[in-house]
């Protein structure tokens, strides 16, 4: 099948893309899109508490988190790349920014997904969101040095954070992920060290499904919530 | 052609629907939708300054405004109904609220367009917006008395006010109206008493067109801006 | 046991107090507070869809809803009063406002719970919230006519609406309801016509419990979220 | 001296104009402007606690409050009119709205001062602010019935409420009232029943004076804070 | 003529000052003020797409942009200085921050103009705005090392961004630039590579002129919009 | 007396903790808590204008400011540590961030107090607030390198800035400091170079006391205002 488009997900830590956008990834992958996940870090320091408690070393933890994320990406139908820049905190350097610009230039996403711009519980998340927003702008500029040509204007969405009410998260889109929820659940179950989140994010998907039903009148069971960064453009009220 | 859907526009005064949503109306009408415009008033007191200066009577002004609005609706391809409840100020009564509920029940819109909820320059506009939002809720309730069954969950959009920066207007959608802009211009020219606005709103459409192009990479010349009241629901990032 | 304080809950419709504040009611009732629920309506038109579908009459629906609410209040340990002013829409009249003022004067709440001030899905909820806020002010004024003396300055909280992200709901307090959750569940199960909400609001309580745990380091299983309308006052950081 | 302009202050209760805008009134009066204060009520129920405690009757309280306000207006150099529509709550009727429109048409203010649009401690204040904003719009409309011609576009400012941080009060203008502060103090001292506020509002004026100095580098001792409702227009950065 | 005051404009890229503040510059220059433009960069990478498409080298582009900006500044009556720190992205270094502080200390602006603090389309703009705001604070501090004495408290305004509704742009001031619009147009026409913006920003000026007229009742044809960062201070309602 | 808890105050400059949180410090110290103040700088450049005017050297100023702050901390009953990283501007480095993390790990605060996240008058303040919020997150992470174990979830409050209305300061808590105000006044009087602020912040405490009284009905004379960063958690409406 010919490539129908490219969805790129920029995830601060190894597992964020699964909890927050796993449904979108599976959905678009099934439609013949290239879906590419960029993990800035493995979440080795900030999101691997149970592994540290077991006494694992930093390198072991990174390996375990990497393998889990690879399995999850595989289930969801996505390519995955790890930049391994170190988490808690992620330091935004010119080199990291350039790495994202070159990724965007090379893979030319039609749609970009990343974190919210506010999150009082996690400083890496808003920093990643700002990085993505800026790299997208730089990738559009003719004068930015690259072997690839400038990109157009891909839409950018923030996926739902852990505590949306504390993150100024406004829901602009409830994405129906009912047809692919099984894959999302399987992908979540790859995250051995975070078993408590499997049920938690299943419940989130159900609640968003109920709301999607109420906002549309359609029979939707599972959904993911997204906030749009730029206006939609097109010929339809959607 | 079979009815493809129903778009309903609730306009506080006779001409609002032309300046603010004329493109959307023409676009959807051409696609085979039923488009229905509800004017709560003729704008006889608040938006007919030049006619008052000419010494016209209230009844003459209402007749002139009505005829202009009918011609404009005709050009755009819309049905039009006038409730004639009196403007400046529009008084929201239980009877008016019920009239809207029954309209929504009878005509069953898929999409609703109306004013913004904030407008320090015009108290009739936010009042109309709140009225529409509430009538939509009432029309959904099984227990609300009516000869028609409850409606589903039509999307509601606010169209662009005259001074958007003062009205907390956030652009969620730039609707490409390039293919139908000629009709919008013709409809605007029906408003004889407001000739100064023809060029003004042509310029607005051009500026929104430029922005639509920059936000999408598509060649768009004319656009209208809309703010969404409820989340989008569906299977696509749009 | 001597009265330890008075908690008053003002509910637009008969069941709101159960889903949104059932835990708080049970908690305070167990502590020896008087808890008093004021239902402005039975939710007979707006929140009884399944009863209407069964062909029940308005009077039957009001009776059923009343009995369910009374049973729920009984389980939670609260007194309940119905004002029966008619819902969808609730019309705020001077008489209704005065009824609330006299209630506040007579029962002298230490804490007031009601709806949010924004809710695009339900116009009765913000209207009730504004009514409560104003009646509280009037009840404080020496010159307001009443056989009871003016009240002090009871704190006012908004309980969590159905779609908090659309209602500008900010969480100021996560109330630990773990010890009384069983009662809340039993009270919810009194609402025969809304069985789909039992699991939904159990999930909400669990999610708020997880967040309460993360925000405090305490082992909390179930919680309810509240937004404070006025500043806290006291001698402690809480 | 020829009239240099007209400043109109719309005060919900008899004393608001003194605490919140007394400096502005004295300043403009000294410059040869007509300053006209409109009190919707005497604040007889809501802001006369000490008189009620003394056992005064409603009529006595209204008379006392009227006399105090008249003395204060006299000291400040303002005309004063009482509409006596009853406070706590002020009910906004079509007749009251029309009274304001006719006032604006007849006296043709260049600048309007009134309350903020948010005040959780006082429902009469935002109601008055909305009334003023709407009456100003109606007074501008050619079609609104009146024996006086339409007005232009007077600037509208909100004066500082009692608890600005709870009222979304943004300071757009710090007005230097140093030259007339003595008059404001004298006017405040006319309010016998609110002696505790004399020092309070002297302190507020001092604090705003300090801030005015820091924001301008000028030696300012007393100031009043205002929020602008519409943009400034002119040829200067001010 | 003696210097009447100093207006300083800090522009992220070479042409920003023309589109966004050209009218203000010409106006104040005609009044005998020193107007000084500081361009942090030439906009060589981010805002010179057409020159890159023509195959120009980085150095050629910088030279062309510099010459255009110099011609425009000359027409408007302003001095201009280029810091040439490199755009897309502008990296804010201690050295750059100090350069601005020393500029402010040496030239002692009465009024400062720069970008908005939010702009999702351009990361250099908010970064410049924050830099200016901080350099202004540092320039006020007695302890900051410099050969020039501390400055007072110049007002700081944000000029209008390209897509104001997406940038939280609130209009606080509509500046009447009718008398100098011809100069602004001539200055815009110096920007050979951005011919599409000449008409665009002429339309913006007209629309702001219409709004200025409506907000003041004065006959204004062209205006520029500004947002104030600090409160105004003075003895007049303006 | 056994340690009852630990309150930690992070102050950008040497005197901030006195004006803004002196009452809280004295209150908790009297209750047997360990109170620990961390001053990132002495405020030697930005907040020592009068010492610079007297011709003091940088080292002298730092010594004077240090001694004053030590005396004030002693009166209030707090330990104090100076990081001396240099002010105006404070540069946030990885080393500084780590220093805070290790402090939090070692001293394990139950409550953290620091600056607001917005302050257009002082760039060091929001930078310190963000630093504290992030260091708190890092100190919670099991994988962050340290000789001390991870901390729980201490509440974080912003204390009141100099111009709260310009800093988006929302009052969530009015802390009654009446019993310890004398100590706060004594501590303020240690700041010899800022005598003009003694009366200013006494007035602020009085005004907040009046508001605390009005919001609670309790007799409170002096209070401090705080904004909460995370939700409260517990079993009480407070």
């Amino acid at each position: 099948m010919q490539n129908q488009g490219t969805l790129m997900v920029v995830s601060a830590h190894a597992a964020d893309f699964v909890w927050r956008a796993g449904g979108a990834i599976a959905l678009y992958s099934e439609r013949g899109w290239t879906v590419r996940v960029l993990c800035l870090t493995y979440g080795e320091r900030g999101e691997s508490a149970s592994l540290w408690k077991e006494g694992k070393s930093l390198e072991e933890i990174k390996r375990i988190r990497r393998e889990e994320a690879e399995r999850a990406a595989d289930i969801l139908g996505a390519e995955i790349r790890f930049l391994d820049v170190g988490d808690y905190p992620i330091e935004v350097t010119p080199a990291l920014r350039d790495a994202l610009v070159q990724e965007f230039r090379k893979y030319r996403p039609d749609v970009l997904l990343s974190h919210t711009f506010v999150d009082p519980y996690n400083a890496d998340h808003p920093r990643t969101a700002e990085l993505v927003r800026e790299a997208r702008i730089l990738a559009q500029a003719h004068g930015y040095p690259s072997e690839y040509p400038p990109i157009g204007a891909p839409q950018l969405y923030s996926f739902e954070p852990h505590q949306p009410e504390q993150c100024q998260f406004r829901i602009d889109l409830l994405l129906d992920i009912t047809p692919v929820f099984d894959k999302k659940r399987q992908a979540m179950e790859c995250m051995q060290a975070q078993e408590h989140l499997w049920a938690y994010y299943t419940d989130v998907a159900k609640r968003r499904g109920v709301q999607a039903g109420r906002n549309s009148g359609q029979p939707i069971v599972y959904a993911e919530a997204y906030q749009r960064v730029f206006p939609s453009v097109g010929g339809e009220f959607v």
Side-chain angles (χ1 to χ4, degrees), chain A:
Chain A
M1 186 164 60
Q2 196 193 334
N3 182 22
Q4 302 298 306
T6 297
L7 174 70
M8 194 174 290
V9 186
V10 185
S11 186
H13 311 101
D16 290 327
F17 73 94
V18 182
W19 316 116
R20 314 197 180 292
I25 294 170
L27 204 63
Y28 274 77
S29 175
E30 288 199 354
R31 286 182 192 151
W33 282 48
T34 297
V35 184
R36 191 165 163 84
V37 175
L38 228 67
C39 293
L40 303 192
T41 76
Y42 299 109
E44 60 271 17
R45 294 197 185 278
E47 309 198 343
S48 306
S50 64
L51 297 170
W52 287 101
K53 287 183 202 160
E54 292 171 16
K56 295 279 193 300
S57 73
L58 182 62
E59 285 315 308
E60 283 173 301
I61 291 170
K62 288 167 74 167
R63 185 185 47 74
I64 291 167
R65 298 282 291 175
R66 179 189 185 107
E67 288 170 7
E68 288 177 354
E70 284 173 339
R71 272 198 302 279
D74 193 54
I75 289 165
L76 297 171
E79 304 170 7
I80 189 163
R81 178 186 169 196
F82 302 92
L83 294 183
D84 192 16
V85 300
D87 74 333
Y88 271 57
I90 292 175
E91 300 283 0
V92 174
T93 60
L96 173 57
R97 204 190 277 129
D98 184 64
L100 257 78
V101 177
Q102 302 306 340
E103 267 278 330
F104 294 171
R105 286 276 179 102
K106 182 167 179 194
Y107 292 95
R108 316 187 75 70
D110 298 284
V111 175
L112 275 165
L113 310 182
S114 193
H115 294 271
T116 50
F117 294 87
V118 173
D119 191 338
Y121 297 99
N122 194 312
D124 288 353
H125 290 172
R127 209 169 274 155
T128 300
E130 279 168 28
L131 172 66
V132 169
R133 188 170 59 185
E134 182 163 14
R136 175 186 172 279
I137 294 167
L138 299 176
Q140 293 176 317
H142 278 78
Y144 191 92
S146 175
E147 61 180 297
Y148 308 101
I151 63 168
Q155 184 52 277
L156 169 59
Y157 291 84
S158 298
F159 38 60
E160 180 169 352
H162 190 70
Q163 300 195 44
E165 296 88 357
Q166 259 61 41
C167 299
Q168 301 176 12
F169 186 67
R170 189 188 68 223
I171 303 180
D172 287 320
L173 173 67
L174 289 162
L175 187 77
D176 179 3
I177 60 165
T178 312
V180 297
F181 184 75
D182 283 354
K183 283 193 186 170
K184 177 166 183 174
R185 176 75 197 204
Q186 281 177 58
M188 292 199 289
E189 293 181 5
C190 296
M191 307 295 148
Q192 296 287 342
Q194 291 165 294
E195 189 171 341
H196 60 292
L197 293 178
W198 305 352
Y200 188 87
Y201 280 105
T202 298
D203 283 350
V204 169
K206 262 190 228 160
R207 191 173 73 258
R208 296 306 178 203
V210 170
Q211 293 173 351
R214 283 181 59 134
N215 278 284
S216 69
Q218 299 161 28
I220 295 175
V221 184
Y222 297 104
E224 283 174 348
Y226 292 90
Q227 178 165 358
R228 198 177 283 107
V229 178
F230 300 99
S232 298
V233 179
E236 315 251 347
F237 288 106
V238 283

